Amino acid sequence: MTSRYQVYRAALPEVCAAEPTRMVFTGDANGRCEVFTWDARTRRTRQVTDRPHGTLHGAIDRDANVWWFDEDQHGTGRWRFQPFEGGPDLPGLTGVPEGEPRGLAVGDEARVAMGVGDGRSTAVHVGPRGGAAREVTRVDGHATLSGITPDGRLLALSGAAGSARAVTVLADDGTTRAVLAGDGNGAGPGGRLWSLGFAPAAGRAELLLVQEVNDQYLLASWSPGTGLAIHSWCAFDSEITARWHPDGRSLLVRQDRHGRSTLHRVGLTERTVEPVPTPRGTLLDAAPRTGSDVHYLWTDTATPPRMASTAGTPLPPTHGIPGQVPGEHRELWTAGPDGPVHSLLSLPEGRKGAVPAVFLVHGGPGDHDRDAYDGVVHSLVASGFAVVRVNYRGSTGYGPRWRRSFGQGVGLTQVEDLVAVRADLVARGVLRADAVGLWGTSWGGYLVLLALGVHPGLWQAGVAVKPVADCAAAYRTTTEALRALDERLFGGTPDEVPERYERSSPLHYADAVQAPLLVAAATRDAKCPPGQVRDYLAALRLAGVRHESMWLDTGHDGYEADDHVAVLRRAVVFLDRELRGRPRTTPKTPRSDRSGDSGRARSTAPAGTGTGTTHTERSSGHAEGHHPQ
């Protein structure tokens, strides 16, 4: 079957190790994310999945079997597979209970391992592909299977990067071979630790790691014979991720720095680091292939994502991607107490003087805005707004110190950075001081609500999508992984440090809000639960604050086009009315923005090094594989 599809967001195809011309990617199929195959020899695609609510997780193993996670509306399900050329849908392993996906890894000779979570614990099951499963371990809380050796004898399980069990290496019978700690704070030796998968070379068990040490990110590795080795000669000053080359001897490192990306080819034995030339902008994904070929997915603010191969390998075409974003795109550095705050600024075409503006606030908090295409930016700039994207303190891409900077309190520190950038742009004559709005999703939505309450006179409108509205209530009803994140950020639970949660909670300031507000929430949101949003809306009503609300029948990470487009259109109309004082017809939505939740990237993952990460932020997107979080 051939299909006219749109590559879903920015999904770099994953390649079969034994047959590099066979690939798997996620693409848009009539408004839903689905899994497709791509054969570079025939240049033909085939749609593999067709599920009512779409399919987000896809992979391909060494034998060119296509894998996907068959989940329900609540994110619970099982791994399935079928041959590359098509055939019946088969269970990855039999006897595995339904659960949340916590990683998939397939070694040589069809040895399969998969992590499955139930909200309280994580279990790892192993067995022959399609055969009976055997549970080898179960751990409390959230963990992710992050790798398997080619012979299937060793597994890597990732816990919280800053915990005493950041990475556990297990034998296939469940015996613990090593426990690697990451319980330092990153300011000295022994900081946070992330697992990036085993080398694909047969007969060798070497686990690739990244460790935060002395405010840098260092490559590291573990093997049975030598234990943990820190490669201090290969250090980076901002977040990195890395992948093994298919030969198992060298690495491709992708660094996120100051809102942009660079690639480096690293030889561990030779101790060499060489840059890989790519255009200025953001690499949403990159992977080394056979020989010197590198596949990467590039974009900048003005240009939608484009796939490229340094060796000219044919990659899936990107049907339906719009043209360049109109307007002028700049960057801005604003003085701040912990160093300059970096912002990305997009201005409408033909701007004369100060204009209405929208601060598009990223989530996380361990994330950052990139010099990358965003359908929401496109829609707002095309509608005549300036768009400001601030990489406030706590954002990634600016080094560990910046990420740990919460000196004025959780959320309050970030709001002060938004206020500083607003003042800078108003003073420069770029923004109208009487027409500035805020728009954020997830933790970004939280910051919108907090800013409207803490500094009510500075903002004229706000849009909060799937937000945290009451920090203590969200803690008590969210996922275990996010409770651990809150405890790290606040320094304890709501019972232990109640004043910190209250001081940082938007609900505490609800009666001070002056600007009209649009709140979009999800009825099945496990990360930012609906109950605490309803309590906040009730507080707004009690205070007489003008507001609107809309409810989506989705979870936090919903990826159906209709929901996304409904929020986008209503938000743009709302902001146009409140910031420019006139009604407006429904805006035209860029075609690439019709298939997801937040205009951000999604990608498939190889079924040889594990598909999951230890990502525990509330952000709805930027799912970019193994990245320090």
Side-chain angles (χ1 to χ4, degrees):
M1 156 183 179
T2 59
S3 172
R4 184 170 179 81
Y5 58 88
Q6 174 193 312
V7 170
Y8 185 74
R9 294 290 175 243
L12 188 67
E14 287 299 338
V15 173
C16 172
E19 299 180 73
T21 60
R22 293 188 163 190
M23 310 178 195
V24 163
F25 65 97
T26 50
D28 176 65
N30 300 318
R32 299 190 313 275
C33 173
E34 299 292 357
V35 175
F36 292 79
T37 63
W38 167 255
D39 191 324
R41 290 173 299 185
T42 63
R43 303 196 181 193
R44 290 175 65 87
T45 65
R46 180 178 70 86
Q47 183 176 334
V48 178
T49 60
D50 185 10
R51 303 174 61 252
H53 301 285
T55 310
L56 183 60
H57 305 282
I60 188 169
D61 66 25
R62 184 176 182 83
D63 298 323
N65 289 285
V66 180
W67 292 76
W68 69 94
F69 193 71
D70 186 14
E71 62 188 297
D72 62 18
Q73 290 179 293
H74 304 284
T76 299
R78 293 184 173 93
W79 284 102
R80 299 186 182 277
F81 73 96
Q82 68 171 238
F84 187 87
E85 299 293 349
D89 298 346
L90 302 171
L93 292 173
T94 60
V96 177
E98 289 190 344
E100 302 168 0
R102 301 279 174 86
L104 170 72
V106 184
D108 295 344
E109 298 181 12
R111 297 181 177 93
V112 176
M114 57 181 65
V116 178
D118 61 8
R120 300 179 302 277
S121 63
T122 300
V124 176
H125 304 264
V126 301
R129 184 176 55 228
R134 173 171 51 89
E135 182 177 306
V136 295
T137 192
R138 180 176 293 270
V139 298
D140 293 336
H142 189 284
T144 305
L145 179 70
S146 55
I148 187 171
T149 52
D151 62 12
R153 294 181 180 178
L154 292 179
L155 309 171
L157 188 64
S158 298
S163 71
R165 301 182 70 90
V167 180
T168 302
V169 181
L170 302 167
D172 60 356
D173 62 0
T175 303
T176 299
R177 296 292 301 275
V179 177
L180 308 178
D183 51 354
N185 63 11
R192 295 186 299 164
L193 185 71
W194 296 268
S195 167
L196 303 184
F198 285 100
R204 182 163 132 250
E206 184 174 4
L207 180 63
L208 178 63
L209 305 158
V210 169
Q211 186 154 41
E212 184 181 326
V213 178
N214 295 323
D215 290 319
Q216 294 181 309
Y217 295 97
L218 308 182
L219 289 177
S221 58
W222 176 92
S223 61
T226 61
L228 179 65
I230 306 295
H231 306 300
S232 56
W233 55 271
C234 193
F236 297 84
D237 63 359
S238 61
E239 286 79 3
I240 61 172
T241 187
R243 292 191 182 191
W244 289 102
H245 189 276
D247 64 13
R249 294 192 298 272
S250 61
L251 308 170
L252 184 69
V253 174
R254 173 165 54 99
Q255 180 182 20
D256 286 333
R257 189 173 190 274
H258 296 178
R260 296 185 174 88
S261 310
T262 54
L263 287 182
H264 311 268
R265 187 175 280 110
V266 175
L268 290 179
T269 302
E270 301 85 356
R271 294 195 170 194
T272 56
V273 181
E274 300 174 356
V276 177
T278 56
R280 176 181 169 88
T282 292
L283 300 169
L284 298 171
D285 198 4
R289 303 306 186 201
T290 303
S292 60
D293 193 11
V294 173
H295 294 181
Y296 63 85
L297 191 60
W298 172 88
T299 179
D300 65 14
T301 299
T303 313
R306 297 174 179 172
M307 295 186 188
S309 161
T310 58
T313 302
L315 297 174
T318 50
H319 296 306
I321 297 296
Q324 287 201 325
V325 178
E328 178 186 354
H329 308 288
R330 310 177 189 169
E331 56 188 319
L332 174 76
W333 294 85
T334 301
D338 293 315
V341 181
H342 185 209
S343 302
L344 301 170
L345 177 64
S346 296
L347 300 171
E349 288 183 339
R351 177 184 71 94
K352 295 180 180 179
V355 294
V358 177
F359 278 64
L360 195 60
V361 187
H362 75 72
D367 204 339
H368 66 275
D369 269 314
R370 297 154 169 79
D371 179 14
Y373 177 82
D374 187 319
V376 177
V377 175
H378 192 159
S379 294
L380 288 170
V381 173
S383 298
F385 292 103
V387 178
V388 188
R389 294 178 288 167
V390 180
N391 282 325
Y392 48 69
R393 280 171 287 176
S395 300
T396 54
Y398 299 84
R401 288 183 185 273
W402 188 257
R403 186 165 178 173
R404 294 194 303 268
S405 295
F406 283 79
Q408 289 150 287
V410 176
L412 299 168
T413 303
Q414 290 69 41
V415 166
E416 291 309 309
D417 288 345
L418 299 177
V419 170
V421 174
R422 177 195 176 278
D424 190 6
L425 288 169
V426 169
R428 293 170 184 257
V430 176
L431 309 185
R432 277 178 45 191
D434 63 345
V436 181
L438 296 158
W439 182 348
T441 296
S442 192
W443 214 77
Y446 157 70
L447 293 179
V448 168
L449 299 183
L450 191 61
L452 291 177
V454 174
H455 294 283
L458 298 184
W459 321 101
Q460 284 67 54
V463 177
V465 183
K466 302 177 183 177
V468 173
D470 180 345
C471 295
Y475 172 90
R476 293 188 176 98
T477 53
T478 190
T479 66
E480 185 165 350
L482 287 174
R483 283 196 292 274
L485 172 65
D486 285 344
E487 290 172 18
R488 176 168 62 84
L489 291 177
F490 287 99
T493 70
D495 293 332
E496 295 167 341
V497 287
E499 70 287 348
R500 295 181 188 175
Y501 281 80
E502 182 179 20
R503 183 168 175 262
S504 295
S505 178
L507 182 64
H508 184 61
Y509 307 94
D511 60 355
V513 174
Q514 298 176 9
L517 175 62
L518 170 63
V519 177
T523 59
R524 292 182 281 105
D525 194 332
K527 294 182 179 179
C528 300
Q532 47 99 35
V533 177
R534 292 191 180 98
D535 290 344
Y536 181 82
L537 294 174
L540 292 181
R541 287 193 296 270
L542 186 63
V545 177
R546 185 158 61 90
H547 67 281
E548 303 174 16
S549 62
M550 63 184 298
W551 287 91
L552 308 173
D553 186 23
T554 68
H556 190 77
D557 299 308
Y559 41 85
E560 292 188 47
D562 290 347
D563 289 333
H564 173 61
V565 172
V567 173
L568 176 65
R569 287 178 171 170
R570 185 160 175 182
V572 173
V573 170
F574 172 83
L575 291 168
D576 196 69
R577 182 181 71 234
E578 301 300 338
L579 298 181
R580 291 199 284 217
R582 65 174 187 263
R584 180 178 172 83
T585 57
T586 301
K588 182 178 180 180
T589 305
R591 186 168 179 180
S592 75
D593 206 41
R594 298 176 184 269
S595 59
D597 175 67
S598 59
R600 312 294 188 174
R602 305 284 188 184
S603 66
T604 53
T609 59
T611 63
T613 71
T614 54
H615 185 92
T616 57
E617 310 294 347
R618 284 190 169 91
S619 175
S620 292
H622 295 306
E624 295 185 40
H626 307 279
H627 193 88
Q629 289 296 338

